[in-house]
Amino acid sequence: MSHQVKSLVVLSQEFITKHIDGLDDVGDVPYYLLRDALKRATAQQLYRLEKSNPHLVPESDELWLSHCMIYTDIRDGYRQGDYQDARTWRSLYLVNM
């Protein structure tokens, strides 16, 4: 029976996901390494991390859709074909909060 050893990257990603509240400045860590942890962040956590790490903003737009779906008007509009551009989801959420 063989056991696979998790890579340092995977272990780090799991740790960040569990401790997202303690995350502040991520330095030059690329978005793709943080994506899974950021997907599990609340809107407040995501916004705080983006403020501390503006280099994440251009790539993190995709994460805002799930947060936008709490608003009935946005959810209904999205289902009718509106708000399809991921670049608008962050601003939509922030305007409605």
Side-chain angles (χ1 to χ4, degrees):
M1 183 167 151
S2 68
H3 294 282
Q4 284 190 327
V5 177
K6 292 181 181 181
S7 71
L8 183 56
V9 169
V10 170
L11 290 171
S12 298
Q13 290 170 325
E14 289 175 356
F15 183 86
I16 289 169
T17 300
K18 289 179 186 173
H19 303 284
I20 194 92
D21 265 338
L23 194 59
D24 188 24
D25 183 359
V26 299
D28 292 332
V29 175
Y31 172 76
Y32 77 91
L33 290 174
L34 299 168
R35 184 175 181 267
D36 287 343
L38 295 176
K39 283 172 64 175
R40 291 172 178 81
T42 65
Q44 293 77 16
Q45 290 167 329
L46 180 57
Y47 181 71
R48 178 181 53 79
L49 286 167
E50 286 180 339
K51 279 183 72 173
S52 298
N53 305 279
H55 70 281
L56 298 175
V57 173
E59 296 183 81
S60 63
D61 288 330
E62 65 174 341
L63 304 176
W64 285 99
L65 178 61
S66 63
H67 300 299
C68 286
M69 291 297 122
I70 66 169
Y71 298 108
T72 306
D73 57 331
I74 296 174
R75 184 175 55 245
D76 292 346
Y78 181 79
R79 289 178 180 155
Q80 294 174 6
D82 298 331
Y83 312 120
Q84 298 300 309
D85 185 354
R87 294 172 296 180
T88 64
W89 297 336
R90 181 180 192 269
S91 58
L92 273 173
Y93 181 86
L94 295 176
V95 165
N96 283 283
M97 60 182 259

